[in-house]
Amino acid sequence: MPNPAFSSPTPNAAKIAVADLDGVLRGKYVSAEKYAQILEKGFGFCNVIFGWDMTDLCYDNAQVSGWHTGYPDALAWPDTSTQRAIPWESQLPLVLADFSKDESGAASVCPRSLLKRVVGKAAEMGYEAYFGAEYEWFSFRETPASVHEKGFQQLTPLSPGMFGYSMLRSSQHASYTDALLQQLPAFGIPLEGLHTETGTGVYEAAIAHSGALEAADRAVLFKQGVKEIAHRQGLLASFMAKWDSGMPGCSGHLHQSLKHTGTEQPVFAGPGRPNGFSRAFEHYLAGQMALLPILLPLLAPTVNSYKRLVEGSWAPVNMSWGIDNRTVALRAIPGAQPRVEVRLGGADANPYLAIAACLAAGLYGIENQLELEQPPVSGDAYQIKGLPALPRNLGDATARLKAAPLAGEWLGEAFISHFVRTREWEWAQYSQAVTNWELKRYFEII
């Protein structure tokens, strides 16, 4: 069913967009005539979007896309259920596309196509998966030009001071707050809540839950929408996981639940059982406990992601679970419709890959009836000894993913092989860089 936020004016152009491996939307404007053809027949899109990094540097280690392929077009197909009008761009139509129908190899590495396959696996098992994303981001009184001129240092935040849940700050910036509250829902992204978070100029938004694929669509468009709305307010929004060592990080928490297909019956509810959790819920948690440490690069995909995963940062440092506990990796939330909040991911994660990883891990636990080997953490998980530690950097996390056959079994060998190569590339770029920290520490004294 087409998105109800989509209206059908007759402008002379439209937008089409696809998500690359880093969750960056790549797209173009097309004429109204071309748009009509695309909706009917799909369109060719250069496969380089899976062969370069977020700065448009081409990988030298990729197989699916690279100079050796000549960078041909791959078949992208629009999903008309994602059609919507862009409120801040004269109601211009926009549609998301993926490469599920492509036969050249792009389908195997396309993030949206991957999530569709995992959702299909859930359907085969008799489940419908529901997700809701929460995002934190920093807003600055800057422009793209000014942050480059300043070398990304001494940036001016939207507001000074630590003002979590501040009624004052959100009211003081009412124009920005109102634009987010009005324009995002009009863009087909319903919000359940919006508030300031701890940090200078930080906001957090909770997106209303929906089916897994739609939740990922909403999430990727939410990040794009916030950036565009902020720009029109004279601001710059950043979803970087940890932009400043003295500031909190930006999370991308994922709330998730299952229902039996075709019913409203929650799979995770277990009346009469401890905490009201079903056996299936415990298996789902156990699967995530087992598999998410292996799939961590899908939730923490950048070098910077791991700067957020430190003690006392409202982000986990070990693989743990607890009941309504915000110091653990998996927060089990009881109630009439229980859910689990995965707190591993940062705001920098690709929503399609993060949701695919979480769902695949949970389904793995249900299919294999895994048992929870660890009791729920009560109190501060940072202080409990013996909990399984998470990888401390992208290099270690990628090596662990590369060595795990289970990852390929659940997400596809072709995808894992390609994704691992992209993270190895990312780690190599970082390893070769000379940072400001090194200059300050070694330049004169050593």
Side-chain angles (χ1 to χ4, degrees):
M1 179 181 295
N3 192 307
F6 175 69
S7 60
S8 54
T10 55
N12 60 5
K15 273 185 173 180
I16 52 174
V18 296
D20 69 9
L21 284 163
D22 290 297
V24 177
L25 280 182
R26 308 280 187 167
K28 61 180 76 173
Y29 291 88
V30 296
S31 67
E33 293 78 13
K34 182 66 175 178
Y35 185 63
Q37 295 173 13
I38 284 171
L39 293 181
E40 182 180 353
K41 300 178 180 179
F43 61 103
F45 205 114
C46 181
N47 78 0
V48 73
I49 66 165
F50 301 130
W52 63 15
D53 65 17
M54 65 185 73
T55 68
D56 293 4
L57 283 178
C58 294
Y59 301 126
D60 62 9
N61 61 346
Q63 293 179 329
V64 174
S65 173
W67 294 111
H68 64 286
T69 70
Y71 295 115
D73 279 350
L75 177 62
W77 200 268
D79 185 339
T80 56
S81 70
T82 69
Q83 287 184 121
R84 62 201 67 211
I86 307 174
W88 54 88
E89 207 165 339
S90 302
Q91 299 299 315
L92 191 74
L94 175 143
V95 70
L96 294 174
D98 59 52
F99 294 83
S100 299
K101 297 186 179 183
D102 180 77
E103 298 180 356
S104 68
S108 66
V109 300
C110 168
R112 192 173 192 270
S113 302
L114 170 67
L115 178 55
K116 289 168 77 172
R117 292 193 293 273
V118 178
V119 168
K121 172 65 175 178
E124 291 174 5
M125 295 174 65
Y127 303 127
E128 295 174 355
Y130 291 84
F131 280 72
E134 294 178 349
Y135 283 110
E136 297 165 347
W137 74 95
F138 280 79
S139 299
F140 300 92
R141 296 185 185 278
E142 302 285 352
T143 67
S146 70
V147 296
H148 280 270
E149 290 168 0
K150 293 181 175 182
F152 300 90
Q153 303 294 316
Q154 303 300 315
L155 303 183
T156 303
L158 172 63
S159 56
M162 302 294 207
F163 279 81
Y165 297 107
S166 172
M167 300 301 291
L168 176 63
R169 286 290 190 244
S170 55
S171 177
Q172 287 173 336
H173 307 299
S175 176
Y176 184 38
T177 304
D178 185 65
L180 294 168
L181 289 171
Q182 298 298 323
Q183 294 182 2
L184 287 169
F187 190 41
I189 305 170
L191 300 182
E192 289 189 341
L194 176 70
H195 61 88
T196 63
E197 255 295 357
T198 300
T200 55
V202 187
Y203 275 82
E204 178 176 351
I207 305 171
H209 76 277
S210 58
L213 183 60
E214 183 179 348
D217 290 338
R218 288 179 178 182
V220 76
L221 289 170
F222 169 84
K223 292 172 67 174
Q224 181 76 18
V226 167
K227 292 176 183 179
E228 295 186 10
I229 291 169
H231 180 76
R232 284 159 175 77
Q233 293 284 321
L235 305 172
L236 188 149
S238 174
F239 289 85
M240 187 174 177
K242 186 87 167 181
W243 89 271
D244 186 306
S245 61
M247 290 288 155
C250 292
S251 69
H253 298 161
L254 293 172
H255 293 255
Q256 51 208 269
S257 63
L258 299 178
K259 292 183 180 179
H260 292 285
T261 301
T263 75
E264 290 299 311
Q265 184 180 357
V267 173
F268 291 166
R273 299 196 75 253
N275 301 301
F277 298 148
S278 69
R279 291 282 291 159
F281 185 44
E282 293 173 354
H283 295 325
Y284 191 91
L285 281 178
Q288 293 192 329
M289 289 286 292
L291 214 52
L292 286 185
I294 296 170
L295 300 178
L296 187 58
L298 280 77
L299 290 99
T302 72
V303 172
N304 182 254
S305 301
Y306 298 81
K307 307 295 175 69
R308 169 182 162 267
L309 300 176
V310 294
E311 288 189 10
S313 65
W314 298 94
V317 297
N318 48 51
M319 206 58 210
S320 54
W321 77 281
I323 299 169
D324 200 12
N325 187 330
R326 286 182 169 86
T327 70
V328 297
L330 305 179
R331 175 184 168 225
I333 303 172
Q337 298 194 42
R339 66 187 190 276
V340 58
E341 177 192 27
V342 173
R343 298 176 60 82
L344 288 167
D348 58 341
N350 182 330
Y352 296 107
L353 299 187
I355 290 177
C358 290
L359 180 56
L363 295 176
Y364 164 73
I366 291 177
E367 185 171 78
N368 292 279
Q369 297 189 340
L370 298 187
E371 300 293 341
L372 282 168
E373 299 178 356
Q374 180 191 115
V377 169
S378 178
D380 186 356
Y382 298 123
Q383 301 303 317
I384 298 178
K385 307 299 181 183
L387 296 175
L390 295 169
R392 300 306 303 148
N393 59 60
L394 181 62
D396 290 346
T398 300
R400 186 171 183 178
L401 174 63
K402 185 177 184 178
L406 268 177
E409 291 176 18
W410 276 85
L411 299 179
E413 297 289 350
F415 170 78
I416 292 297
S417 175
H418 184 70
F419 185 70
V420 162
R421 292 168 187 267
T422 70
R423 297 312 100 183
E424 288 176 336
W425 164 275
E426 192 77 8
W427 183 246
Q429 304 311 298
Y430 170 72
S431 300
Q432 296 165 14
V434 178
T435 66
N436 287 340
W437 184 89
E438 292 167 284
L439 289 171
K440 291 178 180 178
R441 192 171 186 86
Y442 305 128
F443 187 83
E444 181 183 9
I445 196 68
I446 198 71

